[in-house]
Amino acid sequence: MKPTMEWAAEECTHMMATNFESALHLSQLAHPLLKASSSGNIVFISTIGTFIVYQGGAIYSASKGAMNQITKHLACEWAKDNIRVNGVAPATINTSLVEYLGKDSDILMKEASRVPLGRLGEPEEVASVVAFLCLPAASYVTGQIICIDGGRAQIS
């Protein structure tokens, strides 16, 4: 997380390769197998940073925004192959990625205060939505980006 003007071209390239291109190329490689299964699913992991502004998060959010667009396009393109494509966009989740800040850090407490449910999310809460999207119960859901954020994206 840093101001956009501080990102070197190589860092931007690395961020796009890591967050967007890897997901796209893996999907392209998986397409024949998913098509053969006659009920394939892809669920991309995005961020609510594509719906709201996190200071210093422009490049990261842009890479995930590209993923959101490919989600919608592949959902339409690959529907004829019985492949559904969706995305989930979590807010700040209590994972090892945020542990370095400490549970009582001002940053995490401030973020939790912006969540209408009053807390950060848990990994299981993201996993359960991903699992649902892969179940037959979600067989008519495709091309969606589902925020898993305790209502955070509704607050500016």
Side-chain angles (χ1 to χ4, degrees):
M1 303 292 265
K2 60 185 175 182
T4 305
M5 291 300 294
E6 294 179 16
W7 282 80
E10 300 79 27
E11 291 175 308
C12 292
T13 299
H14 179 73
M15 183 68 73
M16 289 302 290
T18 301
N19 289 340
F20 171 65
E21 292 173 25
S22 61
L24 171 62
H25 296 312
L26 181 59
S27 299
Q28 290 171 316
L29 290 170
H31 180 271
L33 297 172
L34 294 170
K35 183 177 178 179
S37 78
S38 73
S39 63
N41 285 291
I42 295 172
V43 181
F44 292 118
I45 308 296
S46 183
T47 176
I48 65 159
T50 62
F51 299 99
I52 65 172
V53 172
Y54 282 114
Q55 292 298 318
I59 305 304
Y60 174 77
S61 295
S63 70
K64 294 296 190 165
M67 182 181 290
N68 288 357
Q69 284 306 111
I70 204 68
T71 298
K72 295 173 183 185
H73 286 267
L74 292 182
C76 293
E77 228 179 276
W78 293 358
K80 68 184 181 330
D81 299 324
N82 293 314
I83 299 170
R84 293 185 299 108
V85 184
N86 291 290
V88 296
T92 305
I93 304 296
N94 279 321
T95 66
S96 58
L97 291 175
V98 297
E99 276 180 13
Y100 73 93
L101 294 173
K103 296 277 185 201
D104 297 323
S105 80
D106 288 342
I107 295 169
L108 291 181
M109 289 172 59
K110 186 176 179 182
E111 185 58 25
S113 75
R114 291 179 173 156
V115 176
L117 288 181
R119 64 180 177 79
L120 302 181
E122 296 297 329
E124 298 80 14
E125 294 171 312
V126 177
S128 64
V129 176
V130 172
F132 166 73
L133 289 170
C134 295
L135 291 171
S139 63
Y140 202 58
V141 180
T142 194
Q144 302 303 303
I145 312 298
I146 299 173
C147 291
I148 307 169
D149 65 354
R152 174 67 172 93
Q154 306 312 311
I155 305 297
S156 52

